Amino acid sequence: MSGLYFHLRIGPYVCAEWNFGGFPVWLRDIPGIEFRTDNKPFKEEMQRFVEKMVNLMRQELLFSWQGGPIILLQIENEYGNIESSYGQSGKDYAMWAASMAYGLGAGVPWVMCKQTDAPEYILDACNGYYCDGFKPNSYNKPTLWTEEWNGWYTSWGERVPHRPAEDIAFAVARFFQRGGSYQNYYMYFGGTNFGRTAGGPFYITSYDYDAPLDEYGLLSQPKWGHLKDLHAALKLCEPALVAVDDSPQYIKLGPKQEAHVYRTEIVCSAFLANIDEHNTASVRFLGRVYSLPPWSVSILPNCSDVAYNTAKVRTQISVKTQEFGSPSSYMTEPRILQVEEVVPTISKTWMTLEDPVGAWSENNFTVQGILEHLNVTKDTSDYLWLITRIQISEEEMSFLEANEDSFTPTLIIESMRDVVQIFLNGQFAGSAVGRWVRVVQPLHFVQGYNELAILSETVGLQNYGAFLEKDGAGFRGQIKLTGLKTEEIDLSTSLWTYQVGLKGEFMKVYSPDQHKFANWVHLSPDKLPSMLTWYKTYFDAPDGKDPVALDLGSMGKGQVWVNGHNLGRYWSKVAPKDGCQKTCDYRGAYNDKKCVTNCGKPTQTWYHIPRSWLLASDNLLVIFEEIGGNPLEISVKLHYTRTICSSVSETDYPPLHLWSHPDFIHGNLSISDRAPEMQLQCDYGHTISDIAFASYGTPQGSCQKFSRGHCHAPSSLSVISKACRGRNSCSVDISNAAFGTDPCRGIVKTLAVEANCESYSNLAASAVM
């Protein structure tokens, strides 16, 4: 057991950038249903689900009063944001949801987030980037922060959000400084939206969220370490925080500086804040002077010594890499491979299978008019074919040929979402992408009957907002033809044939059991790129235990399966070239456009393959490519921390664990008597293989760009190498004693280190060779 408590957020609406907000799509088919309002069919289904969940938890003895970890339950999610959309029915529904949940007798408190009208017996909570100004709607309730947004989600073709560790720490410290009781990170670990679970529309498969643990489960440094230190500092303040029943003592220290003091006769802890976005401030508190960086909070567990400042990041920086693994089929020496110009690909032998344009089975049906996408597919597939026939008479054809400069037959779709691909007589004519956008597509007919086939695609169903059940997918409004001699043709009233999904999906050509029954042929390079095409090959799993990623940068758009498991949608859609800052300034209020990265590059290139889905060899890889790509350039890579850097000054704070040392607790040791400490650590299963840079003195630059300053201790490299090489982690005191000299008296010294990590298996293989 990890000793963690559990906040179970039952919903059933959860948002979470999850497909349809977590609702099953069949829910919208219940007659007369309206989601999340005072609607009898919806409330019946919701109560049935919530009762099931509560009874299941009780049955499994998971509530805290049963000895389990669950201390809180949540009903609904951020309903206050949309309640007004439903008028009085929204208010009635919110009160019903609260009463229904409370009446189940779970024995632990219930929470409603962003619900300012929550009744007295339900705790209301805050979600957001900052919640230090939040107050619950009753003095009898604790101040809860159920979602501290430490990053943000990402959309296809957009920049990748990044929230700096300094700002997250500032937000959390301010929350507890001003009386906060409970705080939860969203997300601490985001992971991956495998299959078709990503919501949207247009949310990418990765749900990394710039979280402290990345998509692959590795530490994101410095964010993870800086927040770990923050909570260690908060833990030191716990005796005072829980002892003070009323609000903390407020002391104004300057125009934009303030202190909050938690004090009893026995204990005292304080928070000193500088909310100035630009300037460092010098403040006097309890007879001592403290320097506060801009947009920061200093934490004083004993109301005297600073244990932590949110703006001073002393945790290492971890630089992750995707490097090629070492299955014996294409790689024998990993160290050589890192500098090879030839990129090893997953396979040179591929099989291919074309998916037909239009109707492909007897399961299609024909009706008059345009049907709503989800009413037809029931979300069993992203894809829906709509096919109709258009007759061009000899007279019409002659007119078009004679007036080709002034008349162009054009298909107009008044409104569509998310992706549409248009084919005429089996040939690709054009495509469009957007959310309820107008489509104008010129067409080139032949005389006689022409088959118009439209592939309607979803890229994640709407997961947020009011009236989810009415959002739908596919087309709205009229579909018509213009540019003909005759009047425009309203195709909305024509006969349309509907075909759900792809033939390859129906045949399960991605399945280890079913793929062999399809008519695969060997791929010839001159057939690339190709639309609506399946590809398959086999590959061996990379050696070791590092997380595995599939590099699909050479592909266009589609879905990918490994051993029958759907890794998710992929799309090499490129983000705008502008909008990324050269440096990320943590100061000032954060928003999802601040500190973005990845400009001018595909939003997502690497796709996570869980190790548990892999065999040692002969793993089946199947890809459906919609728009054209090159599978011959696909590769499998290992995801791990290759480089670690740190920079710590002798004036920085000593390590937090010293505050719990018996000598300090009993007054035999002053925290100011201990030197700061640099701590370095590689990923689990990796060791520090070499030291690329080390300088104790006045080093310059930043991670991977360090250089010596005018002051440098000659022993720097040897001291760090002795302490760290060959180990998973190490620590070094920042002191003259540790380096055997004072390289520049009277000057504040800093230790800067850059080290490289290598997996144990690679080092062992190198030693054998």
Side-chain angles (χ1 to χ4, degrees):
M1 297 290 290
S2 300
L4 294 175
Y5 293 115
F6 201 84
H7 177 192
L8 178 60
R9 308 175 69 180
I10 294 178
Y13 170 74
V14 296
C15 186
E17 288 69 64
W18 192 264
N19 192 59
F20 214 37
F23 286 135
V25 175
W26 57 258
L27 195 65
R28 69 197 295 273
D29 294 332
I30 295 176
I33 198 166
E34 294 182 49
F35 290 5
R36 305 176 73 197
T37 187
D38 191 16
N39 173 265
K40 183 178 179 181
F42 179 79
K43 292 194 296 184
E44 287 177 349
E45 293 296 329
M46 177 172 171
Q47 182 165 348
R48 188 160 63 92
F49 175 79
V50 176
E51 284 182 351
K52 175 72 174 179
M53 292 298 296
V54 170
N55 290 337
L56 184 61
M57 298 304 107
R58 186 185 290 115
Q59 175 185 321
E60 297 297 323
L61 307 178
L62 292 175
F63 289 117
S64 55
W65 56 269
Q66 298 174 298
I70 299 176
I71 60 171
L72 288 172
L73 294 171
Q74 180 173 308
I75 192 72
E76 253 295 343
N77 185 57
E78 297 186 344
Y79 188 69
N81 288 353
I82 65 166
E83 183 179 302
S84 61
S85 301
Y86 297 96
Q88 185 60 44
S89 293
K91 295 179 181 295
D92 293 343
Y93 163 73
M95 294 305 102
W96 168 85
S99 176
M100 180 271 293
Y102 185 75
L104 296 177
V108 298
W110 284 88
V111 174
M112 297 180 85
C113 60
K114 289 195 172 185
Q115 195 69 45
T116 57
D117 59 354
E120 185 69 23
Y121 52 84
I122 299 290
L123 305 178
D124 59 313
C126 181
N127 289 355
Y129 293 121
Y130 308 93
C131 284
D132 56 287
F134 168 76
K135 297 299 179 185
N137 62 11
S138 169
Y139 289 110
N140 296 322
K141 299 180 182 181
T143 304
L144 308 181
W145 191 358
T146 42
E147 289 188 14
E148 193 284 327
W149 299 337
N150 52 32
W152 201 242
Y153 57 83
T154 307
S155 300
W156 298 111
E158 295 296 334
R159 308 164 187 89
V160 177
H162 165 67
R163 189 177 182 193
E166 298 96 325
D167 183 59
I168 302 171
F170 172 78
V172 175
R174 286 285 287 166
F175 176 71
F176 286 106
Q177 174 181 3
R178 300 180 67 185
S181 300
Y182 163 95
Q183 171 258 334
N184 175 64
Y185 288 106
Y186 189 95
M187 301 291 295
Y188 199 82
F189 168 63
T192 308
N193 286 331
F194 294 113
R196 299 169 51 248
T197 57
F202 302 122
Y203 297 155
I204 68 172
T205 296
S206 169
Y207 202 62
D208 183 89
Y209 210 85
D210 194 33
L213 291 178
D214 75 6
E215 178 182 3
Y216 300 84
L218 302 182
L219 306 185
S220 292
Q221 299 281 30
K223 184 172 286 188
W224 185 87
H226 194 49
L227 297 180
K228 174 177 178 288
D229 287 346
L230 166 65
H231 288 280
L234 291 171
K235 184 70 174 177
L236 294 173
C237 299
E238 183 180 31
L241 293 176
V242 299
V244 175
D245 292 329
D246 298 325
S247 299
Q249 179 188 3
Y250 172 79
I251 303 174
K252 189 172 180 62
L253 302 176
K256 295 185 178 181
Q257 296 77 38
E258 59 190 28
H260 289 73
V261 184
Y262 293 80
R263 188 201 316 262
T264 70
E265 295 179 356
I266 302 174
V267 292
C268 182
S269 293
F271 297 78
L272 311 184
N274 179 13
I275 57 176
D276 190 316
E277 299 179 16
H278 307 289
N279 303 306
T280 296
S282 180
V283 300
R284 180 173 292 275
F285 173 72
L286 299 183
R288 294 181 62 177
V289 176
Y290 298 86
S291 178
L292 302 178
W295 201 253
S296 77
V297 176
S298 285
I299 300 176
L300 289 63
N302 59 2
C303 281
S304 177
D305 298 299
V306 178
Y308 179 91
N309 179 273
T310 59
K312 296 183 177 181
V313 179
R314 294 301 174 252
T315 305
Q316 72 181 40
I317 295 173
S318 295
V319 182
K320 294 172 186 147
T321 187
Q322 276 78 21
E323 292 190 353
F324 301 103
S326 55
S328 58
S329 58
Y330 64 71
M331 180 175 178
T332 57
E333 224 293 21
R335 287 182 173 273
I336 295 176
L337 188 60
Q338 291 173 8
V339 295
E340 282 185 343
E341 293 184 0
V342 178
V343 176
T345 56
I346 195 169
S347 176
K348 293 298 183 183
T349 305
W350 287 81
M351 304 289 285
T352 184
L353 175 71
E354 292 187 3
D355 214 86
V357 172
W360 49 263
S361 80
E362 297 179 355
N363 292 328
N364 64 69
F365 63 92
T366 302
V367 297
Q368 185 176 12
I370 302 299
L371 302 180
E372 194 272 327
H373 183 111
L374 293 178
N375 284 340
V376 180
T377 67
K378 308 302 181 185
D379 199 37
T380 57
S381 171
D382 281 355
Y383 307 100
L384 175 64
W385 284 105
L386 295 83
I387 309 104
T388 193
R389 299 181 76 190
I390 301 168
Q391 185 177 18
I392 301 296
S393 66
E394 181 179 353
E395 178 185 1
E396 185 75 60
M397 198 70 221
S398 298
F399 173 82
L400 292 174
E401 290 174 347
N403 298 274
E404 60 181 351
D405 292 336
S406 53
F407 284 83
T408 302
T410 302
L411 176 69
I412 297 177
I413 302 173
E414 286 192 357
S415 183
M416 80 87 199
R417 60 151 292 195
D418 301 329
V419 176
V420 63
Q421 299 199 54
I422 301 167
F423 296 81
L424 186 64
N425 299 321
Q427 301 300 309
F428 177 69
S431 63
V433 176
R435 185 172 187 271
W436 302 124
V437 297
R438 191 169 189 261
V439 179
V440 178
Q441 179 60 54
L443 298 175
H444 299 284
F445 290 106
V446 297
Q447 183 177 327
Y449 281 104
N450 293 260
E451 182 176 273
L452 175 65
I454 301 176
L455 183 59
S456 171
E457 305 176 23
T458 54
V459 189
L461 301 186
Q462 186 75 17
N463 61 260
Y464 181 78
F467 311 111
L468 279 183
E469 74 281 4
K470 298 178 182 178
D471 186 66
F475 308 109
R476 288 177 179 171
Q478 197 177 39
I479 297 180
K480 60 186 179 181
L481 271 178
T482 63
L484 301 174
K485 179 182 179 182
T486 57
E487 295 181 359
E488 66 180 37
I489 301 175
D490 183 4
L491 297 178
S492 306
T493 60
S494 298
L495 288 174
W496 288 85
T497 297
Y498 291 83
Q499 176 71 68
V500 177
L502 308 167
K503 183 176 182 180
E505 282 183 302
F506 177 78
M507 295 179 64
K508 297 183 178 179
V509 299
Y510 50 79
S511 166
D513 298 327
Q514 301 295 321
H515 73 95
K516 64 189 76 171
F517 299 113
N519 296 321
W520 298 93
V521 297
H522 287 285
L523 173 63
S524 174
D526 60 5
K527 297 293 184 181
L528 296 172
S530 180
M531 297 182 67
L532 304 182
T533 303
W534 295 85
Y535 300 101
K536 78 167 181 177
T537 193
Y538 291 90
F539 69 98
D540 295 341
D543 292 340
K545 297 182 179 180
D546 291 327
V548 180
L550 190 66
D551 186 348
L552 295 178
S554 64
M555 303 302 289
K557 178 182 181 297
Q559 295 182 44
V560 55
W561 292 260
V562 171
N563 294 330
H565 298 284
N566 191 336
L567 298 188
R569 302 181 183 98
Y570 69 86
W571 198 353
S572 298
K573 193 170 174 58
V574 176
K577 294 181 179 180
D578 59 349
C580 292
Q581 300 82 19
K582 290 184 179 180
T583 58
C584 174
D585 188 348
Y586 76 89
R587 298 173 299 178
Y590 177 79
N591 62 73
D592 63 308
K593 301 297 188 292
K594 181 180 179 180
C595 295
V596 292
T597 63
N598 210 56
C599 288
K601 300 177 182 178
T603 307
Q604 183 172 356
T605 300
W606 297 305
Y607 296 82
H608 181 203
I609 310 176
R611 280 275 184 181
S612 60
W613 290 1
L614 291 175
L615 308 171
S617 60
D618 294 329
N619 293 280
L620 174 66
L621 172 63
V622 177
I623 295 173
F624 175 67
E625 172 59 48
E626 297 176 21
I627 61 178
N630 185 1
L632 298 176
E633 296 181 9
I634 293 173
S635 59
V636 170
K637 297 182 178 180
L638 297 176
H639 178 84
Y640 70 97
T641 300
R642 175 64 174 142
T643 300
I644 54 178
C645 301
S646 187
S647 177
V648 181
S649 166
E650 61 180 347
T651 59
D652 286 330
Y653 312 124
L656 286 159
H657 66 80
L658 292 177
W659 285 77
S660 301
H661 193 281
D663 286 344
F664 175 75
I665 295 174
H666 297 302
N668 301 324
L669 175 71
S670 170
I671 201 68
S672 59
D673 294 336
R674 290 302 304 266
E677 190 177 272
M678 175 181 286
Q679 299 176 346
L680 298 172
Q681 183 173 11
C682 297
D683 297 337
Y684 175 78
H686 288 244
T687 187
I688 298 172
S689 57
D690 62 272
I691 308 300
F693 178 88
S695 178
Y696 175 67
T698 56
Q700 306 296 311
S702 57
C703 184
Q704 296 187 303
K705 296 179 181 179
F706 285 134
S707 62
R708 291 184 184 179
H710 66 275
C711 169
H712 169 74
S715 62
S716 299
L717 183 60
S718 61
V719 169
I720 300 302
S721 296
K722 182 179 179 180
C724 300
R725 282 195 63 180
R727 299 179 179 178
N728 171 260
S729 62
C730 62
S731 60
V732 179
D733 284 351
I734 313 301
S735 66
N736 295 331
F739 291 88
T741 183
D742 183 346
C744 41
R745 296 183 184 278
I747 295 177
V748 175
K749 270 76 69 179
T750 296
L751 173 62
V753 175
E754 177 183 330
N756 292 319
C757 299
E758 193 76 72
S759 70
Y760 292 141
S761 57
N762 281 357
L763 289 173
S766 300
V768 171
M769 297 186 69

